Amino acid sequence: MKLLRTTGLYLLANAVLISVNAQDKKTTDTTAQYLNKLVLSKDTADKIQLRSKLAELSDGKTEATVLMAANYYYRIGDQKRSEQLYNDVVTRFPLGTQARSAASKDFYLLKTANEAESAYKGWIKKFPPANYPNVKVDDRLAYDYVRANVAGKFAAEKNVVKANEYANMLEVDFWKGNAYSGITTAFYKNGDLANAEIYAKKAMDNAFSYIDGKKGNENWAKFSASGYPGLTSTYANILFERKKYDEALKYSEMAYAKSQGLNPPLNYRYAQILMGLNRNQEAYDKLEEVVKAGKATPAMADDFKKLYVKVKGSDKGYEEYAAATRKSYLEALSKKLTKDMVNETAAGFTLTDLNGKQVSLADYKGKTVILDFWATWCGPCKASFPAMQMAVDKYKADDNVKFLFIHTWEKVADPVKDAGDYIKSMKYNFEVLMDLKDAQTKVNKVVSSYKVNGIPAKFVIDANGNVRFKLTGFDGSNEAAVDELTMMINMCKTGS
């Protein structure tokens, strides 16, 4: 069962937390408009004026003013100064919003619910909500992060009363779906499907209240609404596991109707529910969509064959059908990749691996090289690794194909140990290189040189040192991912 998302929101939430909490909104807006004008200007005098204004703001008397300066330094590419201001603001304003966030950042590392609750109580005593503005939709988000974390830990320990207590403290409505989803996962993992069902429904209902612009069309409202198909699918999954097939079907149909594009796990669960209700032709149709897209897992393929026999009366013609479907899929994939193919010079680099050995892209001249930019905090990156291990294993005897896994955008004090521990714990035999922040500029140079905006990001480089394919994200299908990489590698080798 695939329980729902905790990623994506944090990009929005972090942006919310580092946004300016102006005491005088009109003044702040006016200043921002002026700074925006200077940022967009190509006039040298305006660039000088911008630097002068940011220096003035950096010495401001309020946290909001300093954070505004930090944000604009980041916008103009001065990450070092921006990071310095963010670090300084915690010391300069020890009871400010940044200090409040910094004081809670490691709560998720606490092992027990009692430890988390104790930390929460100490933190909220030092940073009581009443001391901070509560006029914007996100002003209590920092508190809800911690409350949801504590609730999840109590849920994981099967303490339903305390989990409910902290869940009921949540204040930021648009974020409740995400919080409830995390609590759902905690209950599900400890086998408490009854409470997992309760919280899955809470999450789904919260997202439903935002769809179709019911509560506005601001980004936060759209974010909440975007979770509805996945949350509905999660709820249907739990109903299915509790053998509530008729009700599960209702919500699977709703999730399917709201889904944007093909979602193989959603289709599969929909088909399984239909199979449980002996509606085999409908189940066949739903699963055939996945098979034809080439995204069926072995389990999906096995169930589809069973459905084929039930619908057709025998397995006669199945092998021919499967071969024709596979051929059609590969032909469509080839056309797509031919269209997507680029020809750009790959940026050179020299990095160290987990053992401190230097490795350069130039070392692999004449080979096809696959770069995979990732980080230990990136859920989709790690979700893609089983597929990447399959690809690495497939080409382990081919000396002309090389995979390099580049850890970047680190968020911990010792990223080399962090990355190494993760790879070792998962038993992946990847060659990991470390794209660490430059000590002076605070920029991860290699990922920046490839103009990466999000991870996981993969690049397939041909024997001539040219990038031929770029991929971002992971859709969850291991077999399809390996098919895609295989065809890209083959196209690089043949120069097609």
Side-chain angles (χ1 to χ4, degrees):
M1 170 178 165
K2 184 179 180 182
L3 286 170
L4 193 73
R5 67 193 187 113
T6 55
T7 58
L9 165 79
Y10 294 107
L11 293 177
L12 170 64
N14 286 338
V16 165
L17 288 176
I18 65 174
S19 66
V20 177
N21 285 315
Q23 294 179 356
D24 184 340
K25 187 175 185 299
K26 183 176 180 180
T27 300
T28 302
D29 288 348
T30 301
T31 303
Q33 291 169 3
Y34 177 58
L35 292 175
N36 289 337
K37 179 181 178 181
L38 294 178
V39 168
L40 296 173
S41 174
K42 298 184 183 301
D43 186 87
T44 302
D46 284 343
K47 297 299 181 187
I48 295 173
Q49 178 61 22
L50 174 61
R51 285 282 179 174
S52 175
K53 184 63 177 176
L54 292 182
E56 177 187 329
L57 292 172
S58 298
D59 293 328
K61 301 300 183 184
T62 67
E63 182 188 38
T65 301
V66 180
L67 289 178
M68 174 178 278
N71 287 337
Y72 277 92
Y73 274 120
Y74 186 86
R75 280 187 60 183
I76 64 176
D78 192 343
Q79 285 94 337
K80 182 180 180 181
R81 181 58 176 152
S82 177
E83 187 171 321
Q84 182 183 43
L85 286 176
Y86 276 119
N87 291 335
D88 289 349
V89 80
V90 174
T91 303
R92 290 174 60 186
F93 305 96
L95 294 178
T97 59
Q98 290 299 111
R100 183 183 65 185
S101 296
S104 67
K105 69 182 179 66
D106 292 330
F107 283 5
Y108 73 96
L109 296 174
L110 298 173
K111 295 186 181 301
T112 71
N114 285 336
E115 288 175 328
E117 182 178 45
S118 178
Y120 169 77
K121 288 181 176 178
W123 177 71
I124 206 166
K125 182 177 181 180
K126 183 176 181 180
F127 303 97
N131 289 359
Y132 299 86
N134 188 23
V135 293
K136 295 190 301 181
V137 70
D138 55 283
D139 276 333
R140 289 292 182 261
L141 201 53
Y143 296 99
D144 277 4
Y145 285 161
V146 183
R147 293 161 178 159
N149 178 267
V150 177
K153 289 186 184 300
F154 276 119
E157 295 178 7
K158 301 186 179 182
N159 190 331
V160 179
V161 173
K162 294 294 284 187
N164 290 342
E165 176 187 336
Y166 278 89
N168 289 335
M169 292 182 189
L170 297 171
E171 296 182 66
V172 183
D173 190 70
F174 84 86
W175 193 68
K176 286 181 179 179
N178 194 82
Y180 293 149
S181 178
I183 299 169
T184 299
T185 301
F187 276 124
Y188 178 82
K189 285 182 177 179
N190 72 29
D192 186 347
L193 292 185
N195 278 296
E197 178 184 330
I198 290 170
Y199 275 95
K201 189 171 190 307
K202 282 176 176 283
M204 177 188 69
D205 288 346
N206 177 265
F208 180 77
S209 72
Y210 284 89
I211 66 171
D212 301 325
K214 290 187 180 74
K215 293 184 178 179
N217 290 301
E218 292 84 359
N219 286 338
W220 48 266
K222 290 178 180 178
F223 168 79
S224 187
S226 71
Y228 180 70
L231 290 166
T232 305
S233 180
T234 295
Y235 183 53
N237 288 345
I238 294 173
L239 291 172
F240 176 81
E241 293 200 25
R242 302 198 74 200
K243 303 189 186 311
K244 298 181 179 182
Y245 297 127
D246 289 325
E247 195 174 357
L249 179 63
K250 170 186 172 183
Y251 287 101
S252 276
E253 288 172 340
M254 291 167 65
Y256 181 83
K258 286 290 183 181
S259 181
Q260 299 293 319
L262 180 65
N263 183 325
L266 191 157
N267 275 52
Y268 187 36
R269 180 60 85 199
Y270 195 176
Q272 287 178 308
I273 294 169
L274 290 165
M275 289 168 67
L277 294 169
N278 203 34
R279 292 165 59 173
N280 294 319
Q281 180 64 60
E282 294 170 82
Y284 178 94
D285 293 340
K286 293 296 176 289
L287 209 44
E288 187 178 41
E289 293 176 10
V290 181
V291 171
K292 285 186 173 181
K295 296 189 175 183
T297 64
M300 293 177 190
D302 287 346
D303 276 346
F304 182 71
K305 185 173 183 179
K306 293 174 185 176
L307 284 167
Y308 182 95
V309 172
K310 288 182 179 180
V311 170
K312 307 293 184 181
S314 74
D315 64 357
K316 182 179 180 180
Y318 178 78
E319 296 304 325
E320 293 80 2
Y321 169 86
T325 300
R326 175 75 174 166
K327 180 181 178 182
S328 177
Y329 156 67
L330 292 175
E331 287 175 349
L333 180 60
S334 179
K335 289 180 181 178
K336 176 184 180 298
L337 293 183
T338 298
K339 182 180 179 182
D340 292 345
M341 205 171 193
V342 298
N343 193 2
E344 303 170 0
T345 301
F349 58 81
T350 298
L351 296 171
T352 55
D353 66 15
L354 295 174
N355 297 314
K357 175 188 173 183
Q358 287 196 334
V359 176
S360 297
L361 180 61
D363 296 339
Y364 303 107
K365 186 176 181 180
K367 302 180 186 294
T368 300
V369 181
I370 298 88
L371 307 182
D372 188 337
F373 289 94
W374 70 288
T376 54
W377 51 261
C378 171
C381 298
K382 293 187 287 188
S384 74
F385 277 1
M388 295 306 294
Q389 184 65 68
M390 290 166 62
V392 168
D393 290 343
K394 181 174 183 176
Y395 287 96
K396 64 183 178 181
D398 189 337
D399 290 335
N400 291 313
V401 177
K402 186 68 178 178
F403 290 81
L404 299 175
F405 294 82
I406 303 178
H407 189 280
T408 190
W409 290 342
E410 70 272 16
K411 294 186 177 181
V412 296
D414 191 348
V416 177
K417 183 179 186 302
D418 183 48
D421 287 349
Y422 176 73
I423 294 297
K424 183 178 180 180
S425 70
M426 299 303 294
K427 297 181 171 57
Y428 293 131
N429 60 331
F430 296 164
E431 180 164 359
V432 176
L433 306 181
M434 300 302 298
D435 178 30
L436 303 174
K437 285 186 176 72
D438 182 270
Q440 296 300 315
T441 65
K442 303 299 182 182
V443 172
N444 300 86
K445 290 185 176 180
V446 178
V447 75
S448 296
S449 70
Y450 278 83
K451 298 179 174 59
V452 172
N453 294 316
I455 54 176
K458 299 173 177 60
F459 295 81
V460 182
I461 301 170
D462 67 16
N464 297 316
N466 295 317
V467 173
R468 306 311 306 271
F469 296 100
K470 306 175 185 180
L471 304 87
T472 301
F474 177 64
D475 71 359
S477 174
N478 294 343
E479 290 73 21
V482 175
D483 279 339
E484 190 173 35
L485 268 178
T486 298
M487 190 170 288
M488 289 177 176
I489 291 168
N490 290 340
M491 292 173 76
C492 283
K493 284 184 171 183
T494 60
S496 57

